Amino acid sequence: MIAGAWRAAVKVLRSARLATWLLAFVGAWSVAGTLVPQSNAGPDVVAKWAAAHAGLEPVVRTLGFHDAFTSPVFTACIVVLALCTALCAWERTRLAVGKARILRRSAVLDASALAGDHDLEIACGPALSGDEVLARTAAKLGELGVKTKRADGVLAAVSSPWSVWGSPVFHWALFALMVALIVGNLMRASGLMGISVGETKTDAPTSYGLVHAGPLYDWSRVHRSIRVDAFDPAYRSDGIDRGPTPTVSLLDAAGNVLKTQRVYPNMTLKSGTLTIYPSDFGFTTGLTLLNSKGAETGHSAQLVDFSDTKDGTSASGSLNVRDNAGNVLLSFSVTVPLDRVGGALVRRIPKQPAVRVVATGPDGAKVLDAIVREGATVVLPTGDSLRLDGIDYYARLSLVDDGSIPLLYAGLIVAVLGLTLAVAARQQIVMATVIEGSEGTKLALKMRLWRNASSSRSEIESELALALGEDLDTKESTP
Amino acid sequence: MTLEIILMWFTLTFYAAATATYAFGVTFSKEKLTGRALYVATAGLAFQIASLGIRWERLGHGPYLGFYEVANALVLCVVAFFVVVAWRNPRLSAAGMAIMPVAVVLLGGAMLSSKAGLPITAKLASYWLFIHVAFANLAFAAFAISFGCAVTYVIRVHSKTGKWTARLQKLPAQDVLENLTVRFVLVGFLFWAIMIATGAIWANEAWGSYWSWDPIETWSLIVWIIYAVYLHVRFTLKWHGERLAWFAIVAMPLALFALIGIPLAFNTPHAGIGGLGKDF
């Protein structure tokens, strides 16, 4: 019973019709995926679209179109398509083996063998000698793009046996790519890590602001740290503005620097399977909390991001001041009002560095809104003071650790090579010889135009009939 | 008006003249005219190469950025591909009556758009740019030729009075024309695959992510899948004849939409390339 079910499943998956419909479905699904905002564009974008398309939204949400390319439906289709591809590749391999065998055998056929094993005969004009028939045939075939070689009374244009391997190689490479993509997603980790200039962070889930790791990714094998040594908000090289550019160091578990370089678009830091790319940047503000007697009670580095607000920045979090029992007395957030040039906000540290401190009490009511310059303090309603030690940049780095990349590259290269062979290599057998008999001179032809032939069987037949003697009938030979 | 733009207007004029000559030549069965049309198209191509060469020298980069350059590069590849094919195989020259209008419409649109040069930005400063864009253009050119072959195939099929069959008699037989359509689709399919592969490798080298389902990436894949379906129905489901030709005719505008329409419609990392000149 299991064997029967297996055979039935294989039969279904081998179906060319199923593969075609699956391809069409993946294409149609992908079109829908580009028409509907995806979840990774942000909840605001999705909510705005949902509000504008209230009638469609329930259907879209039910079908999972907001996560079109990670939805179970799409994933299941890709898995089935991968299986179809594998079976299709297997089928094509079997076909290629057979075709290669035929090509090898045909390449050694001589005139007598061809006279006994051909597909059609063309009657020739009585005035034509055997030599003239072959010469005219070679010329006509050449005009039709079939270049022949003549040897021992046989004209032959037989493709090399390797010409049939393009399609199987391409399909196997596609299957390998699909497997590598699926396994790669299970084994890769990627995330965003904000690091201030001069700061070092270990590569661990807690260091990331946002991280996604596949179930097979092993964090216990990761022993490294990342440091941002410097930050140039407008780095230029080779006459090109490279944009905000951090200098990043990768350190091993012992703190030894493995690699240091500026990272900017097209200049990522690569080490083994790790790639570091600058995703964004912002400010880091150094703050010190002082008690009523002026003694330092705590330090904090608050990250500030650029935004569309009036000041041009927004706080990435808030700080709490608590009493001895741990109750929150005050929450405050910090932003950096940007300088304006010609009415536009400048994404640089202001010429006179300062932060805006907004504090709220336990009831959420605003109790403080003050500008604090570098080195200055502001007295909080609790009696404590807050000092701004300085403002610097932080780099939000994108870290991707993906061991499947070399496999993907290899798969892509093999797939392209296979496809090139499938597209460029002719798969054909065109052989001709002259048969002299009681019915006159005839041209015996053996033709297999499998792929990429420059002409068609009917065109070759009719053109040769014209070239070898007008008004003469052609007839199919008996097998 | 600079020499560069004057030459491009000459190009457009010659391409339009080639289109008209093809139309007259085929419609009135004037074989000589059809032959001359190829000369006119070739002359237009020479003007276009000169104009784009001047622009390349002036800006320091190839025609990659903004609608004017992208459309120009596509037209250049389509016409160059067609001219080479038609010179090598004069029987295919009449397919120019379907291919040259595509070039004229695209170049006409380019001439109406902004011709300002855009600088190469940090994200585009890579040798992958040339490879990626070159294969996109070559793929489109191959699809455009397959489109031309398919259109002429359908015209002959629908020639109920036989007039068009006679007018297009110089073209190869229908089965050969169909094979040629499939071969150009195969070539385009290969180039499109290389375009996607080089784009993925470049994206990974540039920002550590080889695929992010960005709309233009997704549409590139959609077009590739559409042509994969075409090849499957041709080779495994054994589709032939008119419906296969219609498939090639419908698929080509989708490839054009992926290359030019998507960067215009979506704010994608490719927006500055084919679309509105935005950086990313």
Side-chain angles (χ1 to χ4, degrees):
Chain A
M1 187 177 162
I2 293 172
W6 169 255
R7 274 196 295 273
V10 168
K11 191 179 173 188
V12 169
L13 290 171
R14 268 172 53 187
S15 152
R17 207 168 288 275
L18 174 70
T20 309
W21 276 112
L22 278 173
L23 276 172
F25 181 81
V26 168
W29 186 274
S30 302
V31 171
T34 60
L35 299 177
V36 174
Q38 300 297 294
S39 294
N40 58 14
D44 296 349
V45 180
V46 174
K48 197 175 164 187
W49 188 91
H53 303 84
L56 275 176
E57 175 61 10
V59 181
V60 166
R61 195 160 287 280
T62 308
L63 292 173
F65 277 128
H66 286 308
D67 296 291
F69 306 110
T70 51
S71 77
V73 177
F74 188 75
T75 309
C77 268
I78 296 296
V79 170
V80 177
L81 197 55
L83 292 173
C84 284
T85 308
L87 287 168
C88 179
W90 174 249
E91 201 68 16
R92 282 163 197 269
T93 304
R94 284 175 48 189
L95 271 174
V97 168
K99 281 183 179 177
R101 194 181 300 133
I102 294 171
L103 286 170
R104 270 195 298 272
R105 284 179 184 165
S106 298
V108 294
L109 277 183
D110 58 16
S112 59
L114 190 58
D117 172 24
H118 54 268
D119 307 319
L120 63 104
E121 292 173 2
I122 296 173
C124 307
L128 292 175
S129 68
D131 256 6
E132 280 173 322
V133 168
L134 287 182
R136 283 194 188 192
T137 304
K140 184 49 75 180
L141 287 173
E143 279 175 31
L144 296 172
V146 182
K147 302 276 183 288
T148 51
K149 283 181 185 169
R150 185 172 169 177
D152 301 327
V154 175
L155 280 178
V158 180
S159 303
S160 169
W162 53 258
S163 64
V164 298
W165 287 103
S167 183
V169 167
F170 171 65
H171 281 82
W172 280 120
L174 268 189
F175 174 65
L177 270 174
M178 288 179 185
V179 172
L181 280 170
I182 293 166
V183 174
N185 272 318
L186 298 175
M187 293 182 67
R188 83 199 290 259
S190 62
L192 297 172
M193 190 188 282
I195 308 179
S196 307
V197 174
E199 188 185 10
T200 304
K201 281 190 175 178
T202 54
D203 190 359
T206 50
S207 300
Y208 287 85
L210 186 72
V211 66
H212 172 78
L216 300 180
Y217 189 77
D218 186 4
W219 284 103
S220 66
R221 293 197 314 159
V222 180
H223 305 290
R224 61 189 170 218
S225 305
I226 295 101
R227 184 175 71 207
V228 171
D229 300 308
F231 192 91
D232 187 341
Y235 177 63
R236 284 185 74 85
S237 69
D238 302 327
I240 295 171
D241 180 3
R242 306 289 176 177
T245 301
T247 302
V248 177
S249 291
L250 181 70
L251 299 91
D252 64 14
N256 302 310
V257 174
L258 299 173
K259 205 169 184 181
T260 299
Q261 70 170 70
R262 286 191 176 93
V263 288
Y264 51 83
N266 292 303
M267 186 56 77
T268 51
L269 189 153
K270 285 187 181 293
S271 177
T273 56
L274 180 72
T275 303
I276 301 177
Y277 169 75
S279 165
D280 205 348
F281 75 109
F283 298 126
T284 178
T285 56
L287 302 166
T288 299
L289 195 64
L290 307 128
N291 63 18
S292 54
K293 293 172 186 170
E296 295 182 2
T297 55
H299 294 276
S300 176
Q302 283 293 291
L303 301 184
V304 176
D305 292 324
F306 298 109
S307 68
D308 294 330
T309 56
K310 187 181 155 198
D311 286 343
T313 61
S314 56
S316 66
S318 62
L319 280 172
N320 294 323
V321 178
R322 298 171 189 272
D323 62 15
N324 291 335
N327 300 313
V328 174
L329 297 174
L330 202 66
S331 289
F332 62 88
S333 62
V334 176
T335 58
V336 177
L338 300 177
D339 288 342
R340 283 181 183 274
V341 173
L345 294 166
V346 182
R347 291 189 166 189
R348 299 280 184 276
I349 294 173
K351 283 181 181 162
Q352 293 188 322
V355 294
R356 178 187 294 275
V357 179
V358 175
T360 54
D363 56 356
K366 189 192 286 186
V367 292
L368 178 74
D369 185 347
I371 298 288
V372 185
R373 301 209 174 279
E374 197 172 46
T377 57
V378 62
V379 179
L380 301 173
T382 55
D384 299 320
S385 302
L386 188 71
R387 186 177 69 209
L388 173 64
D389 298 325
I391 301 176
D392 209 333
Y393 292 102
Y394 89 88
R396 193 186 300 155
L397 301 175
S398 161
L399 280 81
V400 181
D401 193 359
D402 190 344
S404 68
I405 297 291
L407 289 174
L408 284 174
Y409 283 10
L412 284 174
I413 290 167
V414 175
V416 166
L417 288 176
L419 191 53
T420 305
L421 187 58
V423 169
R426 284 191 184 167
Q427 298 174 24
Q428 67 179 20
I429 299 169
V430 179
M431 299 183 84
T433 193
V434 176
I435 308 173
E436 305 279 0
S438 56
E439 294 175 22
T441 307
K442 288 178 184 172
L443 183 76
L445 268 171
K446 183 182 174 75
M447 263 199 287
R448 298 280 187 283
L449 303 176
W450 285 317
R451 192 69 78 88
N452 301 332
S454 59
S455 184
S456 68
R457 189 184 174 93
S458 62
E459 189 180 51
I460 289 175
E461 196 177 332
S462 60
E463 291 290 324
L464 283 179
L466 277 175
L468 298 177
E470 279 178 305
D471 303 327
L472 288 171
D473 295 331
T474 64
K475 69 168 189 181
E476 292 282 337
S477 68
T478 48
Chain B
M1 196 182 285
T2 60
L3 176 63
E4 173 194 318
I5 301 301
I6 292 169
L7 285 171
M8 200 54 81
W9 279 112
F10 270 120
T11 305
L12 182 59
T13 309
F14 272 74
Y15 286 170
T19 305
T21 313
Y22 271 122
F24 275 104
V26 173
T27 308
F28 299 106
S29 301
K30 304 280 185 194
E31 276 176 34
K32 271 191 179 174
L33 269 185
T34 311
R36 297 269 158 78
L38 185 57
Y39 285 96
V40 179
T42 309
L45 181 66
F47 283 121
Q48 192 178 19
I49 290 170
S51 174
L52 286 178
I54 292 169
R55 188 177 177 88
W56 194 322
E57 176 66 24
R58 180 170 67 82
L59 295 176
H61 65 75
Y64 317 126
L65 306 178
F67 181 78
Y68 175 76
E69 290 185 4
V70 171
N72 238 301
L74 288 174
V75 170
L76 179 82
C77 283
V78 168
V79 178
F81 213 117
F82 166 67
V83 162
V84 169
V85 167
W87 279 113
R88 282 175 59 89
N89 188 351
R91 295 191 303 166
L92 281 177
S93 183
M97 82 174 175
I99 294 163
M100 291 310 294
V102 175
V104 171
V105 170
L106 258 180
L107 193 59
M111 294 309 287
L112 296 175
S113 67
S114 167
K115 298 166 193 71
L118 298 169
I120 288 280
T121 60
K123 291 197 177 181
L124 297 175
S126 165
Y127 58 88
W128 285 107
L129 175 65
F130 175 78
I131 303 169
H132 181 59
V133 173
F135 278 103
N137 292 337
L138 288 170
F140 179 71
F143 291 148
I145 307 286
S146 74
F147 169 85
C149 291
V151 167
T152 46
Y153 184 98
V154 170
I155 289 173
R156 280 211 296 212
V157 167
H158 283 268
S159 176
K160 291 196 174 97
T161 60
K163 278 184 184 171
W164 280 97
T165 309
R167 286 165 187 162
L168 296 168
Q169 66 177 353
K170 274 283 169 184
L171 278 169
Q174 288 291 71
D175 55 349
V176 179
L177 202 55
E178 181 176 292
N179 281 344
L180 282 167
T181 308
V182 175
R183 287 192 73 183
F184 282 115
V185 166
L186 268 169
V187 170
F189 185 72
L190 167 66
F191 288 159
W192 200 269
I194 297 175
M195 184 264 285
I196 292 176
T198 53
I201 293 170
W202 182 17
N204 190 58
E205 298 301 308
W207 56 79
S209 169
Y210 52 83
W211 195 266
S212 48
W213 294 107
D214 152 76
I216 204 160
E217 283 176 352
T218 309
W219 267 91
S220 301
L221 184 67
I222 289 166
V223 169
W224 196 70
I225 286 173
I226 288 169
Y227 279 106
V229 171
Y230 174 93
L231 294 171
H232 272 87
V233 298
R234 168 68 177 82
F235 288 116
T236 57
L237 300 184
K238 306 294 179 196
W239 276 27
H240 283 282
E242 194 184 350
R243 63 176 176 171
L244 192 69
W246 274 112
F247 201 144
I249 291 169
V250 172
M252 191 280 277
L254 292 173
L256 185 61
F257 177 67
L259 289 172
I260 287 186
I262 295 293
L264 281 168
F266 291 92
N267 187 16
T268 79
H270 292 78
I273 298 167
L276 304 170
K278 289 177 286 188
D279 190 7
F280 46 126

